[in-house]
Amino acid sequence: MLKLLYGLTKFLAPLILLATVMSLFLTFWWVILWIAVVGIVGLGIYLNVTDKQIKDGH
């Protein structure tokens, strides 16, 4: 009985974890998207500014 329960837990744990991650992702996907967009834009501006500074010889 305990062995069966252990096997079931081993099988269900990743599924439960995946379901939790998915529900969290679905809840916060807009936050993740916003962070990603801000990060990409920020990185682009940063690289552009440093590139200009290098070209100007500073």
Side-chain angles (χ1 to χ4, degrees):
M1 179 68 193
L2 203 68
K3 209 168 188 171
L4 182 78
L5 202 69
Y6 176 71
L8 200 67
T9 308
K10 226 168 107 172
F11 177 70
L12 281 177
L15 289 180
I16 292 165
L17 192 69
L18 191 69
T20 309
V21 168
M22 283 305 287
S23 61
L24 277 172
F25 183 74
L26 287 174
T27 308
F28 296 113
W29 70 270
W30 49 275
V31 177
I32 294 163
L33 193 72
W34 191 78
I35 290 168
V37 167
V38 167
I40 290 163
V41 169
L43 190 68
I45 291 167
Y46 172 75
L47 287 175
N48 199 15
V49 166
T50 49
D51 193 43
K52 273 199 177 77
Q53 283 178 345
I54 291 163
K55 279 183 181 149
D56 291 344
H58 290 306

Coordinates of all heavy atoms in Angstrom, one line a residue:
M1 N 0.8 -1.2 0.0 CA 0.0 0.0 0.0 C 0.9 1.3 0.0 O 0.6 2.2 -0.8 CB -0.9 0.0 1.2 CG -1.8 1.2 1.4 SD -3.1 1.2 0.1 CE -3.7 2.8 0.3
L2 N 1.9 1.3 0.9 CA 2.8 2.4 1.0 C 3.6 2.6 -0.3 O 3.8 3.7 -0.7 CB 3.7 2.2 2.2 CG 4.3 3.5 2.8 CD1 3.2 4.3 3.4 CD2 5.4 3.1 3.8
K3 N 4.0 1.4 -0.9 CA 4.8 1.5 -2.1 C 3.9 2.1 -3.3 O 4.4 2.9 -4.1 CB 5.2 0.0 -2.5 CG 6.5 0.0 -3.3 CD 7.0 -1.4 -3.3 CE 8.4 -1.4 -4.0 NZ 9.1 -2.7 -3.9
L4 N 2.7 1.7 -3.3 CA 1.8 2.2 -4.3 C 1.6 3.7 -4.2 O 1.6 4.5 -5.1 CB 0.4 1.5 -4.2 CG -0.7 1.9 -5.3 CD1 -0.4 1.3 -6.6 CD2 -2.0 1.5 -4.8
L5 N 1.4 4.1 -2.9 CA 1.2 5.5 -2.6 C 2.5 6.3 -3.0 O 2.4 7.4 -3.5 CB 0.9 5.7 -1.1 CG 0.2 7.0 -0.6 CD1 -1.2 7.0 -1.1 CD2 0.3 7.1 0.9
Y6 N 3.6 5.8 -2.7 CA 4.9 6.4 -3.0 C 5.0 6.6 -4.6 O 5.4 7.6 -5.1 CB 6.1 5.6 -2.5 CG 7.4 6.1 -2.9 CD1 7.9 7.3 -2.3 CD2 8.2 5.4 -3.8 CE1 9.1 7.8 -2.7 CE2 9.5 5.9 -4.1 CZ 9.9 7.1 -3.6 OH 11.1 7.6 -3.9
G7 N 4.7 5.5 -5.3 CA 4.7 5.5 -6.8 C 3.8 6.6 -7.3 O 4.1 7.3 -8.2
L8 N 2.6 6.6 -6.7 CA 1.6 7.6 -7.1 C 2.1 9.0 -6.9 O 1.9 9.9 -7.7 CB 0.3 7.3 -6.4 CG -1.0 7.9 -7.0 CD1 -1.3 7.2 -8.3 CD2 -2.2 7.7 -6.1
T9 N 2.7 9.2 -5.7 CA 3.2 10.5 -5.3 C 4.3 11.0 -6.3 O 4.3 12.1 -6.8 CB 3.7 10.5 -3.9 OG1 2.7 10.0 -3.0 CG2 4.1 11.9 -3.4
K10 N 5.2 10.0 -6.6 CA 6.3 10.3 -7.5 C 5.8 10.6 -8.9 O 6.4 11.5 -9.6 CB 7.2 9.0 -7.6 CG 8.6 9.3 -7.5 CD 9.4 8.0 -7.3 CE 10.2 7.7 -8.6 NZ 11.1 6.6 -8.4
F11 N 4.7 10.0 -9.3 CA 4.1 10.3 -10.6 C 3.3 11.6 -10.6 O 3.3 12.4 -11.5 CB 3.1 9.2 -11.0 CG 2.4 9.4 -12.3 CD1 3.1 9.4 -13.5 CD2 1.1 9.6 -12.3 CE1 2.5 9.6 -14.7 CE2 0.4 9.9 -13.6 CZ 1.1 9.8 -14.7
L12 N 2.6 11.9 -9.5 CA 1.7 13.1 -9.4 C 2.5 14.4 -9.1 O 2.0 15.4 -9.6 CB 0.6 12.9 -8.4 CG -0.6 12.0 -8.8 CD1 -1.5 11.8 -7.6 CD2 -1.3 12.6 -10.0
A13 N 3.5 14.3 -8.3 CA 4.3 15.5 -7.9 C 4.7 16.4 -9.1 O 4.4 17.6 -9.1 CB 5.5 15.1 -7.1
P14 N 5.3 15.8 -10.2 CA 5.6 16.7 -11.3 C 4.4 17.3 -12.0 O 4.5 18.5 -12.4 CB 6.4 15.8 -12.3 CG 6.8 14.6 -11.5 CD 5.8 14.5 -10.4
L15 N 3.3 16.5 -12.0 CA 2.1 17.0 -12.6 C 1.5 18.2 -11.8 O 1.1 19.2 -12.4 CB 1.1 15.9 -12.8 CG 1.3 14.8 -13.8 CD1 0.2 13.8 -13.8 CD2 1.5 15.4 -15.2
I16 N 1.5 18.0 -10.5 CA 1.0 19.1 -9.6 C 1.9 20.3 -9.7 O 1.4 21.4 -9.8 CB 0.9 18.5 -8.1 CG1 -0.1 17.5 -8.0 CG2 0.7 19.7 -7.2 CD1 -0.1 16.6 -6.8
L17 N 3.2 20.1 -9.7 CA 4.2 21.2 -9.9 C 3.9 21.9 -11.2 O 3.9 23.1 -11.2 CB 5.6 20.6 -9.8 CG 6.7 21.6 -9.7 CD1 6.7 22.3 -8.3 CD2 8.1 21.0 -9.9
L18 N 3.8 21.2 -12.3 CA 3.5 21.7 -13.6 C 2.2 22.5 -13.6 O 2.2 23.7 -14.1 CB 3.5 20.6 -14.6 CG 3.5 21.1 -16.1 CD1 4.8 21.7 -16.5 CD2 3.2 19.9 -17.0
A19 N 1.2 22.0 -13.0 CA -0.1 22.7 -12.9 C 0.0 24.0 -12.1 O -0.6 25.0 -12.5 CB -1.1 21.7 -12.3
T20 N 0.8 23.9 -11.0 CA 1.0 25.1 -10.2 C 1.7 26.2 -11.0 O 1.3 27.3 -11.0 CB 1.8 24.7 -8.9 OG1 1.1 23.6 -8.3 CG2 1.8 25.9 -8.0
V21 N 2.8 25.8 -11.7 CA 3.6 26.7 -12.5 C 2.7 27.3 -13.6 O 2.8 28.5 -13.8 CB 4.8 26.0 -13.0 CG1 5.5 26.8 -14.1 CG2 5.8 25.6 -11.9
M22 N 1.9 26.4 -14.2 CA 1.1 26.9 -15.3 C 0.0 27.9 -14.8 O -0.2 29.0 -15.4 CB 0.4 25.8 -16.0 CG 1.2 25.0 -16.9 SD 2.0 26.0 -18.2 CE 0.6 26.3 -19.3
S23 N -0.6 27.6 -13.7 CA -1.6 28.5 -13.1 C -1.0 29.9 -12.7 O -1.5 30.9 -12.9 CB -2.3 27.9 -11.9 OG -1.5 27.6 -10.9
L24 N 0.2 29.8 -12.1 CA 1.0 31.0 -11.7 C 1.3 31.8 -13.0 O 1.2 33.0 -13.0 CB 2.3 30.6 -11.0 CG 2.1 30.3 -9.5 CD1 3.4 29.8 -8.9 CD2 1.7 31.6 -8.7
F25 N 1.8 31.1 -14.0 CA 2.2 31.7 -15.3 C 1.0 32.4 -15.9 O 1.0 33.6 -16.3 CB 2.8 30.7 -16.2 CG 3.2 31.4 -17.5 CD1 4.4 32.1 -17.5 CD2 2.5 31.2 -18.7 CE1 4.8 32.7 -18.7 CE2 3.0 31.8 -19.9 CZ 4.1 32.5 -19.9
L26 N -0.2 31.7 -15.9 CA -1.4 32.3 -16.4 C -1.9 33.5 -15.6 O -2.4 34.4 -16.2 CB -2.5 31.2 -16.5 CG -2.3 30.2 -17.6 CD1 -3.4 29.1 -17.4 CD2 -2.4 30.8 -19.0
T27 N -1.6 33.5 -14.3 CA -2.0 34.6 -13.5 C -1.1 35.8 -13.7 O -1.5 36.9 -13.8 CB -2.0 34.2 -12.0 OG1 -2.7 33.0 -11.8 CG2 -2.6 35.3 -11.1
F28 N 0.2 35.5 -13.9 CA 1.2 36.6 -13.9 C 1.8 36.8 -15.3 O 2.8 37.4 -15.4 CB 2.3 36.3 -12.9 CG 1.8 36.3 -11.5 CD1 1.8 35.2 -10.7 CD2 1.4 37.5 -10.9 CE1 1.4 35.2 -9.4 CE2 0.9 37.5 -9.6 CZ 0.9 36.4 -8.8
W29 N 1.2 36.2 -16.3 CA 1.8 36.3 -17.7 C 2.0 37.7 -18.1 O 3.0 38.1 -18.7 CB 1.0 35.5 -18.7 CG -0.3 36.0 -19.1 CD1 -1.5 35.8 -18.5 CD2 -0.6 37.0 -20.1 NE1 -2.5 36.5 -19.0 CE2 -2.0 37.3 -20.0 CE3 0.2 37.7 -21.0 CZ2 -2.6 38.2 -20.9 CZ3 -0.4 38.6 -21.9 CH2 -1.8 38.8 -21.8
W30 N 1.0 38.6 -17.8 CA 1.1 40.0 -18.2 C 2.2 40.7 -17.4 O 2.9 41.6 -18.0 CB -0.2 40.7 -17.9 CG -0.8 40.5 -16.6 CD1 -1.6 39.4 -16.2 CD2 -0.7 41.3 -15.4 NE1 -1.9 39.6 -14.8 CE2 -1.4 40.7 -14.4 CE3 0.0 42.5 -15.2 CZ2 -1.4 41.3 -13.1 CZ3 0.0 43.1 -13.9 CH2 -0.8 42.5 -12.9
V31 N 2.5 40.3 -16.2 CA 3.6 40.9 -15.4 C 4.9 40.4 -16.1 O 5.8 41.3 -16.3 CB 3.6 40.4 -13.9 CG1 4.8 41.0 -13.2 CG2 2.3 40.9 -13.3
I32 N 5.0 39.1 -16.4 CA 6.2 38.6 -17.0 C 6.5 39.3 -18.4 O 7.6 39.7 -18.7 CB 6.1 37.0 -17.2 CG1 6.1 36.4 -15.8 CG2 7.2 36.5 -18.1 CD1 5.5 34.9 -15.9
L33 N 5.4 39.4 -19.1 CA 5.4 40.1 -20.4 C 5.9 41.5 -20.3 O 6.8 42.0 -21.0 CB 4.0 40.1 -21.1 CG 4.0 40.4 -22.6 CD1 4.6 39.3 -23.4 CD2 2.6 40.7 -23.0
W34 N 5.4 42.2 -19.3 CA 5.7 43.6 -19.1 C 7.2 43.8 -18.7 O 7.9 44.6 -19.2 CB 4.8 44.2 -17.9 CG 4.9 45.7 -17.8 CD1 4.3 46.6 -18.5 CD2 5.6 46.4 -16.8 NE1 4.6 47.8 -18.1 CE2 5.4 47.7 -17.0 CE3 6.5 46.0 -15.7 CZ2 6.0 48.7 -16.2 CZ3 7.0 46.9 -14.9 CH2 6.8 48.3 -15.1
I35 N 7.7 42.9 -17.8 CA 9.1 42.9 -17.4 C 10.0 42.6 -18.6 O 11.0 43.2 -18.7 CB 9.3 41.8 -16.2 CG1 8.6 42.3 -14.9 CG2 10.8 41.6 -16.0 CD1 8.5 41.3 -13.8
A36 N 9.6 41.6 -19.4 CA 10.3 41.2 -20.6 C 10.4 42.4 -21.5 O 11.5 42.7 -22.0 CB 9.7 40.0 -21.3
V37 N 9.3 43.1 -21.8 CA 9.3 44.2 -22.7 C 10.2 45.4 -22.2 O 11.0 45.9 -22.9 CB 7.9 44.7 -23.0 CG1 7.8 46.1 -23.7 CG2 7.1 43.7 -23.8
V38 N 10.0 45.7 -20.9 CA 10.8 46.7 -20.3 C 12.3 46.4 -20.3 O 13.1 47.2 -20.6 CB 10.3 47.0 -18.8 CG1 11.3 47.8 -18.0 CG2 8.9 47.7 -18.8
G39 N 12.6 45.1 -20.0 CA 14.0 44.6 -20.0 C 14.6 44.8 -21.4 O 15.7 45.2 -21.5
I40 N 13.9 44.3 -22.4 CA 14.4 44.4 -23.8 C 14.6 45.8 -24.3 O 15.6 46.2 -24.8 CB 13.4 43.6 -24.8 CG1 13.5 42.1 -24.5 CG2 13.8 43.9 -26.2 CD1 12.4 41.3 -25.1
V41 N 13.6 46.7 -24.0 CA 13.7 48.1 -24.4 C 14.8 48.8 -23.6 O 15.6 49.5 -24.2 CB 12.3 48.8 -24.1 CG1 12.5 50.3 -24.2 CG2 11.3 48.3 -25.0
G42 N 14.9 48.5 -22.3 CA 16.0 49.0 -21.5 C 17.4 48.6 -22.0 O 18.3 49.4 -22.1
L43 N 17.5 47.3 -22.3 CA 18.7 46.8 -22.9 C 19.1 47.4 -24.2 O 20.2 47.8 -24.4 CB 18.6 45.3 -23.0 CG 19.9 44.5 -23.3 CD1 20.9 44.6 -22.1 CD2 19.6 43.1 -23.7
G44 N 18.1 47.6 -25.0 CA 18.3 48.3 -26.3 C 18.8 49.7 -26.2 O 19.7 50.1 -26.8
I45 N 18.2 50.4 -25.3 CA 18.6 51.8 -25.0 C 20.0 51.9 -24.4 O 20.8 52.6 -24.9 CB 17.6 52.5 -24.0 CG1 16.2 52.7 -24.8 CG2 18.1 53.9 -23.5 CD1 15.1 53.1 -23.8
Y46 N 20.3 51.0 -23.5 CA 21.6 50.9 -22.9 C 22.7 50.6 -23.9 O 23.7 51.3 -23.9 CB 21.6 49.8 -21.8 CG 22.9 49.5 -21.2 CD1 23.5 50.4 -20.3 CD2 23.6 48.4 -21.5 CE1 24.7 50.2 -19.7 CE2 24.9 48.1 -21.0 CZ 25.4 49.0 -20.1 OH 26.7 48.8 -19.6
L47 N 22.4 49.6 -24.7 CA 23.4 49.2 -25.8 C 23.6 50.4 -26.8 O 24.7 50.6 -27.2 CB 23.0 48.0 -26.5 CG 23.1 46.7 -25.7 CD1 22.5 45.5 -26.5 CD2 24.5 46.4 -25.3
N48 N 22.5 51.0 -27.1 CA 22.5 52.2 -28.0 C 23.4 53.3 -27.5 O 24.2 53.9 -28.2 CB 21.1 52.6 -28.3 CG 21.0 53.5 -29.6 OD1 21.9 53.5 -30.4 ND2 19.9 54.2 -29.7
V49 N 23.2 53.6 -26.2 CA 23.9 54.7 -25.5 C 25.4 54.4 -25.4 O 26.2 55.2 -25.7 CB 23.3 55.0 -24.1 CG1 24.2 55.8 -23.3 CG2 21.9 55.6 -24.3
T50 N 25.7 53.1 -25.0 CA 27.1 52.7 -24.9 C 27.8 52.7 -26.2 O 28.9 53.0 -26.4 CB 27.3 51.4 -24.2 OG1 26.4 50.4 -24.8 CG2 26.9 51.4 -22.7
D51 N 27.0 52.3 -27.2 CA 27.6 52.2 -28.6 C 27.9 53.6 -29.1 O 29.0 53.9 -29.7 CB 26.5 51.6 -29.5 CG 27.1 51.2 -30.9 OD1 28.2 50.7 -30.9 OD2 26.5 51.5 -31.9
K52 N 27.0 54.6 -28.8 CA 27.3 56.0 -29.1 C 28.5 56.5 -28.4 O 29.3 57.2 -29.0 CB 26.0 56.8 -28.8 CG 25.0 56.9 -29.9 CD 24.1 58.1 -29.6 CE 23.0 58.2 -30.8 NZ 22.0 57.2 -30.6
Q53 N 28.6 56.2 -27.2 CA 29.8 56.6 -26.4 C 31.1 56.1 -26.9 O 32.1 56.8 -27.0 CB 29.6 56.2 -24.9 CG 28.6 57.1 -24.1 CD 28.4 56.6 -22.7 OE1 28.8 55.5 -22.3 NE2 27.8 57.5 -21.9
I54 N 31.1 54.8 -27.4 CA 32.2 54.2 -27.9 C 32.6 54.9 -29.2 O 33.8 55.2 -29.5 CB 32.0 52.7 -28.1 CG1 32.0 52.0 -26.8 CG2 33.2 52.1 -29.0 CD1 31.4 50.6 -26.8
K55 N 31.6 55.2 -30.1 CA 31.8 55.9 -31.4 C 32.3 57.3 -31.2 O 33.2 57.8 -31.9 CB 30.5 55.9 -32.2 CG 30.3 54.6 -32.9 CD 29.0 54.6 -33.8 CE 28.8 53.3 -34.4 NZ 27.4 53.0 -34.7
D56 N 31.9 58.0 -30.1 CA 32.4 59.3 -29.8 C 33.7 59.3 -29.2 O 34.4 60.4 -29.1 CB 31.4 60.0 -28.8 CG 30.0 60.3 -29.5 OD1 30.0 60.3 -30.8 OD2 29.1 60.6 -28.8
G57 N 34.2 58.2 -28.8 CA 35.5 58.0 -28.2 C 35.6 58.4 -26.8 O 36.7 58.8 -26.3
H58 N 34.5 58.3 -26.1 CA 34.6 58.6 -24.6 C 34.9 57.4 -23.8 O 34.3 56.3 -24.2 CB 33.2 59.2 -24.2 CG 33.0 60.6 -24.7 ND1 33.9 61.6 -24.5 CD2 32.0 61.1 -25.4 CE1 33.4 62.7 -25.1 NE2 32.2 62.4 -25.7

